[in-house]
Amino acid sequence: MDKSGPVKGKEMNDLPVMEGAAVAIKDGKIDWIGSTDEASNAFAERTIDAKGKLVTPGLVEPHTHLVFGGSRETEMALKQQGVPYLEILKQGGGILSTVNATKQASCEKLLQKALFHLDRMAMYGITTVEAKSGYGLDKETELKQLNVVKEANVKHPLDIVSTFLGAHAIPPEYREDPEAFLELMSDLFAEIKENNLADFVDIFTETGVFSVEQSRRYLQKAKEYGFGVKIHADEIDPLGGTELAVEMGAISGDHLAVISVEGIKQLAASNTIGVILPGTSFYLGKDSYAPAREIIDQGAAVAISTDFNPGSSVTENLQLIMSIAALKLKLSPAEIWHAVTVNAAHAIGRGNDAGTIATGRKADVVIWDAPNYMYIPYHYGVNHVNTVIKNGGVLHERQEIQYDSITSF
Ligand code: NIG
Ligand code: FE
C-alpha cells in the first residue's frame, strides 16, 4: 500500500500518467495495474472498455457543509445590491438563517437532503467527501447534524469524513459572550469522541466570529480530546488563521483567500495542507482569489474543494471548481489533479486510503468522457463523468438519451 505523503510545491506539476494502461479490480480493491496488452490475456468476469477515455482516482472532496436545512436563494439579491457576506451574517441572515432552518428540520428530512447532495457528488465523480456540522450552534442540533452524517455514511456508498464545526458562528443569544459559546461547544467534545461522531474539529476564525486567541484555546482543547484540527482561515479578513493552523499542527487551513506573506511562508514549511475554495471567491463576487500560485511556488501542498454550502458556494460540481482553479488560481492541470485527489485525501486524513490508484487500495476509480487529464478543467461547467466505480462496484454510469423513445404530445 502506498503510504506516501501529500505532494508539495513543484512536485504538484509532475503528474504520474500511464498511456494504454489497464486496471484489474478484485474484492473491491485494485488488484493489478499494467498495460492493456498484458491484460488482454487475463480472465475477468466483467471488462469495461475505456479505450480513448481518461481513467483517474475517484475525486476527493475535502471541505463541505453537507447537512443543512432550507436554502438561501433570497440572499442572492442582497449580494447583488452589494451587501457584504459578513454584514448579512451580522443582521441575522447568512449562516444564522440556515441555522434556524436546520433546527426546524427533522433528522429524516436532513438525511434525505444530504443523501440527495451525496448522489449528485457521486455523479460528478466524487468518491470520498468531508462533511461539517455547524448549522446547529446548540448542543442538540449540532449532535443532530453529526448523527445525520453518521447515518449517511452507513446508507450512502460514498465515504464520508466527519468534522465538528460547532464554532461556525456566534448565535444571537451568545453575541455578547463568544467565550461562553465556545465553552458550550467544547462541552460536546467528550460525547462526540465517545460516539465516534467526528474525526476533526474546525472553527471559523474571522472578524465578527472567533478571534485567533479564542480559536487557539478552543482547538487546543479539541486536540486534548484526540481530534485532528482544521481552521476556516483568512477567508475574508487576514487575521492570521493560517499561521495559527501551522502553529496548531492542523491537518489543513482552509480558504486562505487573504493569506499574508508570512502565512504563505509558514504554510510552505509545514505539514498543514492549504485547502483552497475558489468557488467561494467566485460566488461571493470577489475580484481577487487566494494566491494559490504563490502558495504552491513557495512549496506548500494544496488541495481544492467546492466548499459546498447553502450560502457562499452552492455547487456539488468539483469539476467546475477545477476550471475555476485553472482560470483564476492559474494552476496547471497537473496541479489541479493532485489537488482533487492525493492532496485532498491527505487534507482529511485519508491519504493512505483514497486519492490514488495503487495496488491494494480501495478501487475508487472514475472513467471520463475525455481524451486526457487536461481536458476536464478545459471544457468547463459540464459533467464529464462516464462511469464511477466505488469499492470495485459500478456506482454510476452516464445515461444516453434514447432517441427512439421520444413521445409526442
Ligand atoms: O466555508 N465561512 C464560513 N462558512 C462557510 C459558509 C457557510 C454559509 O454561508 O452558510 C464557508 O464559506
Ligand atoms: Fe467552509
Side-chain angles (χ1 to χ4, degrees):
M1 193 179 272
D2 182 6
K3 288 240 183 334
S4 50
V7 182
K8 295 183 82 174
K10 280 195 185 61
E11 286 172 19
M12 283 187 71
N13 208 20
D14 191 9
L15 191 70
V17 177
M18 289 172 76
E19 301 274 348
V23 173
I25 294 171
K26 194 177 166 190
D27 300 331
K29 299 225 151 77
I30 305 284
D31 192 47
W32 175 88
I33 302 167
S35 73
T36 316
D37 283 351
E38 289 170 274
S40 58
N41 302 320
F43 167 78
E45 254 166 44
R46 181 176 174 193
T47 310
I48 300 178
D49 184 2
K51 194 161 191 284
K53 294 184 164 60
L54 169 70
V55 177
T56 72
L59 302 184
V60 179
E61 166 54 85
H63 181 137
T64 80
H65 303 254
L66 174 72
V67 181
F68 57 86
S71 56
R72 311 218 298 264
E73 54 276 34
T74 48
E75 274 175 23
M76 207 161 189
L78 289 177
K79 285 180 197 150
Q80 283 168 332
Q81 287 154 25
V83 185
Y85 180 78
L86 289 180
E87 186 54 39
I88 297 175
L89 177 61
K90 210 166 149 191
Q91 290 172 11
I95 296 173
L96 294 175
S97 101
T98 300
V99 167
N100 286 334
T102 307
K103 279 188 207 284
Q104 279 161 30
S106 66
C107 285
E108 293 69 34
K109 180 71 200 162
L110 290 176
L111 178 64
Q112 196 185 44
K113 225 163 163 301
L115 294 175
F116 177 80
H117 296 304
L118 287 166
D119 279 358
R120 200 175 263 158
M121 288 175 188
M123 288 180 210
Y124 278 106
I126 293 166
T127 49
T128 300
V129 56
E130 186 252 19
K132 301 174 194 296
S133 67
Y135 291 120
L137 309 185
D138 65 33
K139 285 185 173 174
E140 189 192 332
T141 319
E142 286 295 322
L143 290 174
K144 178 166 82 171
Q145 277 192 281
L146 293 174
N147 277 304
V148 166
V149 171
K150 194 170 183 177
E151 183 80 10
N153 208 5
V154 173
K155 286 228 157 78
H156 202 278
L158 293 203
D159 288 313
I160 312 175
V161 175
S162 177
T163 296
F164 174 52
L165 178 59
H168 192 193
I170 307 169
E173 59 278 22
Y174 283 91
R175 194 65 257 174
E176 301 314 316
D177 198 355
E179 307 274 347
F181 176 66
L182 289 178
E183 193 81 28
L184 183 82
M185 289 296 106
S186 62
D187 281 349
L188 287 174
F189 289 166
E191 187 173 344
I192 293 169
K193 193 80 206 167
E194 205 175 286
N195 296 305
N196 209 9
L197 286 173
D199 289 341
F200 298 102
V201 168
D202 195 346
I203 187 163
F204 191 13
T205 305
E206 187 57 74
T207 303
V209 193
F210 302 107
S211 70
V212 166
E213 194 38 55
Q214 289 164 345
S215 304
R216 180 184 285 112
R217 276 200 299 273
Y218 181 74
L219 294 180
Q220 187 51 45
K221 224 186 250 179
K223 282 174 68 171
E224 283 158 20
Y225 279 86
F227 292 104
V229 298
K230 290 173 165 279
I231 302 182
H232 276 68
D234 297 326
E235 177 181 356
I236 296 161
D237 288 333
L239 298 191
T242 308
E243 289 89 325
L244 180 65
V246 171
E247 178 194 318
M248 304 296 298
I251 194 156
S252 69
D254 299 40
H255 282 290
L256 319 186
V258 292
I259 185 174
S260 69
V261 172
E262 180 57 27
I264 297 178
K265 224 160 103 192
Q266 291 191 17
L267 187 72
S270 77
N271 291 324
T272 300
I273 296 177
V275 177
I276 296 181
L277 312 158
T280 311
S281 310
F282 169 77
Y283 200 76
L284 293 180
K286 304 272 171 161
D287 295 325
S288 67
Y289 285 73
R293 195 54 286 137
E294 190 59 21
I295 295 173
I296 294 176
D297 290 346
Q298 295 256 350
V302 160
I304 58 174
S305 150
T306 59
D307 190 17
F308 173 65
N309 74 72
S312 68
S313 187
V314 198
T315 185
E316 300 93 337
N317 184 354
L318 189 51
Q319 296 168 53
L320 172 62
I321 304 304
M322 293 168 78
S323 294
I324 299 179
L327 296 168
K328 298 293 186 183
L329 304 181
K330 311 287 184 214
L331 301 196
S332 71
E335 290 169 332
I336 291 169
W337 275 102
H338 277 122
V340 292
T341 53
V342 59
N343 284 2
H346 279 284
I348 54 174
R350 295 295 172 101
N352 294 329
D353 188 36
T356 42
I357 298 179
T359 326
R361 283 201 181 210
K362 204 187 314 217
D364 291 355
V365 176
V366 177
I367 304 172
W368 305 86
D369 289 313
N372 58 60
Y373 71 90
M374 293 173 285
Y375 192 87
I376 307 295
Y378 153 75
H379 184 155
Y380 86 108
V382 299
N383 189 1
H384 296 282
V385 163
N386 178 282
T387 305
V388 178
I389 296 168
K390 176 68 194 161
N391 290 324
V394 172
L395 178 61
H396 172 67
E397 281 175 299
R398 176 171 60 77
Q399 298 296 308
E400 286 179 7
I401 291 179
Q402 302 299 316
Y403 306 124
D404 53 7
S405 69
I406 297 175
T407 48
S408 38
F409 296 96

